[in-house]
Every structure is written in C-alpha cells, then in structure tokens.
Amino acid sequence: MKPVPLLLLGAALGTATLAASEPASVSVPETKLVAPAKLITAERFDQPSSLAPKGKPGWRGGIGEWEVKDGALHARDEKPNPARPNGHEAVCEYVTEAGDIIFTARFKLGTAPHVGFVCRDTHQPNHHLGRIMVTPGKVWLQKMSGIAKETRKEILQTIETTFDPEQWYQVTIEVRGDEWFARVGTHTLSARHERFKDPKGRIGLVAKGEGAQFKDVAIWHATPKS
C-alpha cells in the first residue's frame, strides 16, 4: 500500500487537524492485520513543545529525562536513587484508550543498551501489557502483566540480529485482538496471547542508559482487515 501523508489521512477520516509541527513524512505504513481508522497522535519531536507539560494531554516523559534537540527526542534513564535503588529506564507515554492499534516510530540506539515500544492497559495504575524490545544484538516481542515489583514478562519471539547504533530504523506495530505483529527494520515478529486483547491505556517509548533517539511517532485506532 502506498504511504498516505497524515494530513491527507486526517482530512479523509475527519480527524483533528494536525499541528504545523507534525510532518507529512510520518505516513500510513503498509500493514498486514489492520487498517487505520482514526489518528490518535502524530508527533515529529522536532521542537520542545512536542513534549506536553505535566498534567496536560500529549506525550509526557514520566521517568528519566527526555529532551527534544537536533530534530529528535533524546532519552536519559533514571539513575539509582533512594526511591529506586536500581534506577529505572526512561519512559515517555501517550495516554489514550484504544483496542486495535497501529503504532509507528523511528529510532536510533546510540549508546543505549536497549529501547522499547510499549503498551500498558487501563487499570489504575496501568499494568504492563506488551513490548517490542531492541538491543544492538537482538529484537524480541514480549507479553507482560503487573506493575512495579509485580511486573511479569514472557518472551514470545526473539530474533538474534545486529542493529547499527548510529542508524535510524523504522518500527511498525499492529495489534488485532490477541495478535501482535511488528516490523523492526527488515525483521518481522508475531505472536498471539489473550493479554493483547485488553484495552490500551498508555502507549509509549522506553530507553535504558543514554543516547537513544526517537522521531516521527504516530498511533492510530485500527480496524481488522479480516
């Protein structure tokens, strides 16, 4: 399917008009399981206003330090401290409520040990649901549950490969019912689990260490293709 600029997609679907900072370069990707139904958010991360102030709707850096500079969103994790003796990966999320989704982004690892593309559910507090994780040597898909010390994960598929820390890669995630399908660079991952059916309340980005960068992030509500 030929990519369609988001500005055209928004007009066709009656979605909200995108802000001037949101780029035509973020476009509807080719998809396998679902088709885009309504745009939730599209953000280039090319200026400080791309991050929402605390308490306001939009992309919010909840843990660690997040900074927009040089046309991208930069992440720095939280170092060990009295509240979190082991520190914590940096977390930036968009609060919404969705079922089936498409989630796209571009990323560069830099010196970060890992980056991730994540969903949490609508519990209060929001429990972990699923992730795509990328390191310099592999990529994997995992199902999750719980929150904080109760967090549990189950890796459903892993691909041993190499990611150039200085190269930008595209990731596209599709969720349809109990199925999760993702393209990360030239690799594809897929798995089924009942947990994936749960509503998505927070969708976001995570990074360990320093050096990770993200840009051209978009999320859509989606409808099954079949």
Side-chain angles (χ1 to χ4, degrees):
M1 181 174 69
K2 183 179 180 180
V4 179
L6 287 185
L7 292 174
L8 297 180
L9 177 69
L13 298 177
T15 58
T17 302
L18 298 178
S21 64
E22 293 168 348
S25 62
V26 177
S27 55
V28 180
E30 292 187 9
T31 56
K32 177 181 179 181
L33 304 180
V34 296
K38 183 179 180 181
L39 182 66
I40 296 173
T41 179
E43 184 55 68
R44 175 181 259 171
F45 288 115
D46 63 342
Q47 54 187 319
S49 60
S50 300
L51 286 171
K54 186 175 181 180
K56 299 293 184 180
W59 284 95
R60 295 182 292 194
I63 299 177
E65 298 179 28
W66 294 85
E67 180 184 11
V68 177
K69 64 179 181 180
D70 302 325
L73 179 63
H74 294 244
R76 182 180 296 113
D77 67 6
E78 182 177 283
K79 304 308 178 188
N81 58 73
R84 294 189 177 98
N86 296 320
H88 198 287
E89 62 189 0
V91 180
C92 185
E93 295 177 309
Y94 192 93
V95 178
T96 185
E97 185 165 349
D100 294 345
I101 60 167
I102 300 168
F103 178 17
T104 68
R106 296 178 66 199
F107 72 92
K108 181 192 289 188
L109 277 165
T111 56
H114 75 242
V115 300
F117 304 89
V118 310
C119 293
R120 292 201 276 161
D121 62 23
T122 54
H123 284 89
Q124 294 300 325
N126 307 82
H127 290 195
H128 297 288
L129 192 156
R131 293 187 174 195
I132 291 291
M133 299 294 292
V134 184
T135 74
K138 61 183 175 180
V139 56
W140 70 90
L141 188 166
Q142 65 188 45
K143 160 261 178 184
M144 302 183 73
S145 62
I147 191 69
K149 293 182 179 180
E150 300 303 317
T151 298
R152 299 292 181 269
K153 71 177 182 180
E154 178 184 353
I155 296 176
L156 303 178
Q157 184 184 1
T158 302
I159 298 174
E160 302 284 343
T161 186
T162 300
F163 289 94
D164 182 346
E166 296 308 314
Q167 180 177 330
W168 283 98
Y169 293 94
Q170 177 77 29
V171 57
T172 299
I173 298 168
E174 303 174 51
V175 183
R176 181 184 67 182
D178 67 350
E179 190 170 4
W180 192 304
F181 177 82
R183 291 186 177 91
V184 185
T186 60
H187 303 286
T188 61
L189 302 98
S190 63
R192 290 181 179 271
H193 198 282
E194 286 293 308
R195 177 69 172 139
F196 296 151
K197 291 183 178 180
D198 292 344
K200 291 79 187 166
R202 290 176 180 262
I203 301 170
L205 315 165
V206 300
K208 189 65 177 173
E210 302 179 15
Q213 298 180 52
F214 304 89
K215 61 183 177 180
D216 297 339
V217 181
I219 306 168
W220 291 264
H221 293 289
T223 56
K225 283 189 171 181
S226 60

